[in-house]
Amino acid sequence: MSAYAIPDGAKFATIKFARRDGNVYTLPPGSPVIVAALRHDPEHGAGARELTGFKPIYALLDTGADFNFATPELIAEAGCPQIDTARLRSASGWIDSTKHVAHIFLPETGSQYETDVFSSPLIDEGGIGQSLIIGILVIKSGRLVMDYKSNIFRFYVS
């Protein structure tokens, strides 16, 4: 077992850090991001197969977000079907949203999560934002290690 109580050889996605200059760096400061892809995969759970046709992007890992969020453009591009409507509280007030069934794929680990994703513009006051935010719905399925002393930043998956 590792010092983090994670089995040796466990798969993980490397966390990097996005900064306001638009670049992604190996070490902090910055917002924690991982390479992910949003998709709709009707064959999810159908057993081992090769996943193709995904567009990897940097997704924000947000431990303060209960849910997952994506821009309407990314949701449309991924073909995620709408399953409900919602009203969300954002930093600037309430916004109307839609709820979609989606799959978040982590190419680095080969793991995919079927989850809900809410549509949101995801742009902050400086005009900077991520097109995908991964919240606790997905984070709690793995183990997030943010060891600033040892410079170990990983999202372990089951």
Side-chain angles (χ1 to χ4, degrees), residues 36-53:
L38 186 70
R39 51 191 279 117
H40 175 61
D41 182 8
E43 299 297 318
H44 180 79
R49 64 197 197 290
E50 185 176 334
L51 295 178
T52 59

Side-chain angles (χ1 to χ4, degrees), residues 2-3 22 25-26 45 70-71 83-84 88 97 100 113 115 126 131 135:
S2 74
Y25 298 88
T26 304
T71 61
I83 56 174
D84 206 353
L88 303 175
S97 178
H100 302 262
Y113 303 91
T115 187
S131 56

Side-chain angles (χ1 to χ4, degrees), residues 80-144:
C80 301
Q82 181 179 332
I83 56 174
D84 206 353
T85 57
R87 194 145 167 81
L88 303 175
R89 177 87 169 133
S90 72
S92 59
W94 291 94
I95 61 169
D96 291 323
S97 178
T98 52
K99 181 179 177 182
H100 302 262
V101 65
H103 299 85
I104 295 176
F105 176 59
L106 306 180
E108 194 172 356
T109 66
S111 302
Q112 180 169 266
Y113 303 91
E114 184 173 68
T115 187
D116 295 337
V117 173
F118 290 90
S119 67
S120 177
L122 300 182
I123 303 296
D124 66 15
E125 57 280 346
I128 297 171
Q130 300 293 330
S131 56
L132 177 61
I133 293 178
I134 298 174
I136 293 300
L137 275 177
V138 171
I139 294 171
K140 71 180 181 183
S141 67
R143 174 128 344 143
L144 187 62

Side-chain angles (χ1 to χ4, degrees), residues 51-75:
L51 295 178
T52 59
F54 59 88
K55 177 184 169 188
I57 57 171
Y58 280 107
L60 177 69
L61 283 173
D62 190 346
T63 58
D66 292 330
F67 303 105
N68 307 299
F69 301 91
T71 61
E73 297 81 10
L74 183 60
I75 289 170

Side-chain angles (χ1 to χ4, degrees), residues 1-10 143 145 154 156:
M1 284 294 221
S2 74
Y4 307 107
I6 298 168
D8 293 333
R143 174 128 344 143
V145 173
R154 297 175 176 170
Y156 287 89

